[in-house]
Amino acid sequence: LLYFMSQDDVMDDFSDKSNAQLLPLSSLFFSDFVCRYHSILPHASGFWSYFDTYMKEWAESVVWERENHWGVAKEYSEEDLIFLSRKAAAMKIPFAAICILSGQAWAIKAFSKMMDYDQIVYQMIDDWRDWKEDLSRGSYTYLLVQTMKYCGLSDASQLTEAHVKKAIFMDELGEKIFQMAKSYNKLSLKCISAIDSPYLKAYISLEESLCDRILDKIRDEKAMMLKGGLDSLLWNMTKK
């Protein structure tokens, strides 16, 4: 993952500083990455076909996101969400290796689908956590684009923190997004239901609990805002 993380750092660097050190270091990470797999999986292994597929998925996803959604408030379709989730396609590589080495290549497809669905959930949680920073940087994530659509804004420059807070907390958008995240969470768990993978299933269950905590936070914030509005109304009435 050091290779992919360093690549992300280069692509996400909005400063003017040089990445002269990071790029060659990233190449060394990749070389070591491939050598380690070659040491346990021969050239003739079917693993290398999966390796190529998942590297291509990763590359296509990060380039597609940069071209279509960096600084552009463009709506995401369901197909787009799957495509976006493949920024994490590199995580499918160790799954493929484990399955082949354990003689369970039949499970590779299930793990691949699980990753596609699971990363949508992860992305929605990440959008929630970083929405203020994303807004300030002009990174139009699924959450921010859905807020624009909900508020009827046609120009991304019109989107403000107030719009996001109202749509997410006061109205139903936040509830809608994280109920959808929970549906993808269930799909990811269903993909591996027939596979003995207790730790992975526990991780997926943890993500479900995170979605529930976010939904609780949204409902609590809404209740506080409504109470605050009522208190303000009653105060103004007593002054008349």
Side-chain angles (χ1 to χ4, degrees), residues 15-58:
S15 71
D16 293 327
K17 65 183 180 182
S18 170
N19 287 296
Q21 292 180 323
L22 191 55
L23 284 172
L25 185 61
S26 174
S27 297
L28 291 177
F29 289 146
F30 185 75
S31 177
D32 187 53
F33 165 53
V34 174
C35 285
R36 287 174 185 268
Y37 278 106
H38 272 302
S39 70
I40 56 174
L41 291 151
H43 288 282
S45 171
F47 164 78
W48 296 103
S49 176
Y50 290 109
F51 180 92
D52 290 343
T53 295
Y54 300 145
M55 288 296 295
K56 183 179 180 182
E57 283 186 1
W58 167 77

Side-chain angles (χ1 to χ4, degrees), residues 2 10-11 27 30 37 46 51 63 86 93 126 144 154 174 184 202 216-217 236:
L2 288 172
V10 172
M11 289 184 285
S27 297
F30 185 75
Y37 278 106
F51 180 92
V63 170
R86 289 179 177 164
I93 294 173
D126 194 54
L144 294 179
S154 57
Y184 279 110
D216 287 341
K217 173 72 172 176
N236 288 331

Side-chain angles (χ1 to χ4, degrees), residues 3-238:
Y3 167 71
F4 296 99
M5 291 169 66
S6 60
Q7 291 290 301
D8 276 345
D9 284 346
V10 172
M11 289 184 285
D12 291 347
D13 187 2
F14 288 83
S15 71
D16 293 327
K17 65 183 180 182
S18 170
N19 287 296
Q21 292 180 323
L22 191 55
L23 284 172
L25 185 61
S26 174
S27 297
L28 291 177
F29 289 146
F30 185 75
S31 177
D32 187 53
F33 165 53
V34 174
C35 285
R36 287 174 185 268
Y37 278 106
H38 272 302
S39 70
I40 56 174
L41 291 151
H43 288 282
S45 171
F47 164 78
W48 296 103
S49 176
Y50 290 109
F51 180 92
D52 290 343
T53 295
Y54 300 145
M55 288 296 295
K56 183 179 180 182
E57 283 186 1
W58 167 77
E60 288 178 340
S61 180
V62 295
V63 170
W64 169 85
E65 183 190 28
R66 190 178 190 97
E67 290 180 348
N68 291 278
H69 291 287
W70 276 37
V72 180
K74 182 179 178 182
E75 191 168 356
Y76 293 81
S77 67
E78 185 171 354
E79 183 180 25
D80 286 345
L81 290 176
I82 294 291
F83 207 60
L84 182 66
S85 77
R86 289 179 177 164
K87 289 192 300 179
M91 289 295 293
K92 299 178 181 182
I93 294 173
F95 281 119
I98 290 168
C99 289
I100 288 173
L101 290 169
S102 63
Q104 300 182 79
W106 60 268
I108 293 174
K109 184 176 180 180
F111 280 124
S112 178
K113 288 182 67 177
M114 179 276 296
M115 283 294 299
D116 285 344
Y117 292 136
D118 178 72
Q119 284 302 304
I120 293 175
V121 182
Y122 179 87
Q123 189 67 52
M124 289 181 179
I125 293 172
D126 194 54
D127 286 356
W128 159 268
R129 184 179 58 203
D130 297 335
W131 71 262
K132 287 186 179 179
E133 182 182 354
D134 290 332
L135 181 63
S136 67
R137 289 169 53 179
S139 298
Y140 293 102
T141 62
Y142 178 78
L143 184 147
L144 294 179
V145 171
Q146 289 300 106
T147 300
M148 278 191 62
K149 179 182 176 183
Y150 184 84
C151 295
L153 302 177
S154 57
D155 186 345
S157 65
Q158 297 172 331
L159 187 63
T160 66
E161 286 192 17
H163 286 119
V164 181
K165 289 178 179 178
K166 182 180 185 301
I168 298 298
F169 294 112
M170 288 300 292
D171 299 333
E172 72 271 12
L173 184 59
E175 181 91 22
K176 180 180 178 182
I177 287 175
F178 283 97
Q179 289 296 349
M180 183 171 71
K182 288 184 66 175
S183 71
Y184 279 110
N185 180 266
K186 287 181 171 59
L187 286 172
S188 66
L189 189 59
K190 184 178 179 181
C191 288
I192 58 169
S193 60
I195 301 173
D196 183 19
S197 51
Y199 294 108
L200 186 55
K201 290 174 182 176
Y203 167 75
I204 293 172
S205 295
L206 174 63
E207 282 189 325
E208 181 184 20
S209 69
L210 283 174
C211 289
D212 284 332
R213 285 166 58 186
I214 291 171
L215 284 166
D216 287 341
K217 173 72 172 176
I218 289 170
R219 292 160 188 160
D220 289 346
E221 288 286 337
K222 182 174 183 177
M224 288 178 62
M225 289 178 181
L226 289 172
K227 184 178 183 300
L230 179 60
D231 287 345
S232 177
L233 176 63
L234 290 173
W235 173 252
N236 288 331
M237 287 175 66
T238 61

